[in-house]
Every structure is written in C-alpha cells, then in structure tokens.
Amino acid sequence: MTENDIIKKCKDGNREAFNRLVEKYQSQVVNIAYGMLSDKEDAYDATQEVFIRVYKNIGSFKEKSSFSTWLYRITANICSDILRKRQKSTNIISINQVYDDENKEIDIKDESPMPEEMAEITERQRAVRQAIRELSDEYRAVITLCDIEGMTYDEISQVLGLPSGTVKSRINRARNSLRKILSKKRELF
C-alpha cells in the first residue's frame, strides 16, 4: 500500500491508516520539535498536537506537495506557536538551565570509545545542543531542519514558507553564530 493510498484511507476516516502514518513519522516529528523547542516534554506535547491537527485536517491536504512537507510545516507552525507563548510568559531564559540529555543514545559506528573519549563526546554534544538553544528561534528552526533532519533548502523553504534565498542566508548566519558560540569552548573542539 502506497502512502497516497494510506492518505486516501485517512481522508475516509480509517483510523488504522492514520495509525500507520503516525508510526511512520512520529520520531521525525519529535526530533524536529525537540530541535526547535529544546525541551523533551514540550517536544512530546507538540508532537501530540501535530497529529491531532493532522487528524482533524487531513481532508484539507491537497497533495500538491508531499505529505511529509505538509506535516513538517504543521510541526514548525505548532513549535513557533509554543515559542511565542513561552516568550509572552517570560522574557528571561536561563542559559544555565539544566537539561537531562545524558540518557540519550550515542550512535557509534566502529568500536566503542574509551570512557574518557565517551565523556568528551558527551560534553561536545551537550555544548552543541546548548549552543543551538542559544540561537534565535528562526536560526534554531533552520539549523534543526537542515543539519539535524537533513532536509534540503527547498524542503525547508516549503516547510517554513520562506523563499529559498532566505533559508540559505539564515542557515549561513545560524552556522556562523554557532561557530562564535562554540569558539568559546575551544577545548572541546
């Protein structure tokens, strides 16, 4: 069964077909939401809201773009809404806030690193995640979609509803900002 067949069944109200879409895309939506929101609980809440919105609005999906582009655009919009609400509720964001990211799995391609190497890797990852959290919302979104999710500039352009040139310049500026932030931690890199 193709994805288009599944979508047609979803439009007809088939819950099993909808569950298949959720299974296929759930981890990607969580990853995008986490990258944009920098908070696990908020990412899970956003993911739930994304699939509720998809379920309610699947009938409006016109299939002019791919389903994943439509889904990621909904994800980006919901995350942007959450970020706006956060900004209204507080204007102070602590850069010293503790995040429990130490339980994350680390993909290791060849052999297991020694404990010292593992500690360095973990510290580098923590520094990069913290640096991404320090970026503005617009830069965090493009970096997450491009460098973490591996989307092309055109896909990001569709997801965020921005011109391709704007996406390219934001990615360039975001990478430069990350370099500046991370240069303060040279011992890790």
Side-chain angles (χ1 to χ4, degrees):
M1 184 179 307
T2 68
E3 185 169 276
N4 287 339
D5 294 334
I6 294 171
I7 291 168
K8 285 177 186 173
K9 287 186 176 193
C10 287
K11 287 181 175 185
D12 292 336
N14 185 315
R15 287 183 187 241
E16 183 57 38
F18 182 75
N19 288 340
R20 288 177 74 176
L21 282 179
V22 172
E23 287 173 15
K24 181 175 181 179
Y25 289 105
Q26 184 173 19
S27 64
Q28 291 164 309
V29 170
V30 169
N31 288 337
I32 291 169
Y34 181 68
M36 291 180 73
L37 300 171
S38 302
D39 182 89
K40 286 180 185 179
E41 293 304 316
D42 284 349
Y44 290 129
D45 290 346
T47 300
Q48 185 174 5
E49 180 62 32
V50 165
F51 285 110
I52 289 170
R53 194 169 294 176
V54 167
Y55 185 77
K56 288 179 178 178
N57 297 301
I58 191 89
S60 68
F61 174 58
K62 300 201 183 342
E63 301 174 37
K64 290 180 181 176
S65 64
S66 69
F67 176 77
S68 61
T69 300
W70 185 69
L71 176 67
Y72 298 151
R73 184 168 189 140
I74 292 170
T75 304
N77 289 341
I78 288 174
C79 289
S80 294
D81 291 345
I82 292 170
L83 290 169
R84 271 192 296 278
K85 287 177 187 172
R86 268 192 207 165
Q87 214 168 24
K88 285 181 183 178
S89 66
T90 179
N91 290 328
I92 301 171
I93 298 173
S94 172
I95 61 171
N96 297 320
Q97 189 172 356
V98 179
Y99 293 90
D100 184 19
D101 291 339
E102 292 154 10
N103 294 330
K104 273 196 146 193
E105 292 181 25
I106 299 172
D107 294 331
I108 302 168
K109 293 185 180 182
D110 292 329
E111 47 193 64
S112 299
M114 299 300 291
E116 302 84 30
E117 293 171 309
M118 191 68 142
E120 281 182 37
I121 290 168
T122 301
E123 192 57 33
R124 275 190 214 125
Q125 288 176 335
R126 187 177 297 126
V128 169
R129 283 191 302 271
Q130 179 61 40
I132 290 171
R133 282 194 281 278
E134 291 178 31
L135 294 174
S136 68
D137 296 343
E138 62 186 21
Y139 290 170
R140 191 178 325 131
V142 294
I143 282 291
T144 299
L145 295 174
C146 181
D147 293 336
I148 297 174
E149 291 302 316
M151 289 185 178
T152 66
Y153 293 154
D154 288 337
E155 290 171 328
I156 296 168
S157 176
Q158 289 179 342
V159 166
L160 297 178
L162 298 170
S164 206
T166 302
V167 169
K168 289 176 187 176
S169 67
R170 282 188 186 179
I171 288 171
N172 186 43
R173 289 180 190 143
R175 287 177 179 159
N176 287 335
S177 294
L178 276 176
R179 255 186 234 108
K180 286 178 187 174
I181 294 167
L182 292 171
S183 70
K184 298 172 190 171
K185 301 177 182 189
R186 285 184 191 246
E187 69 278 357
L188 295 174
F189 302 95

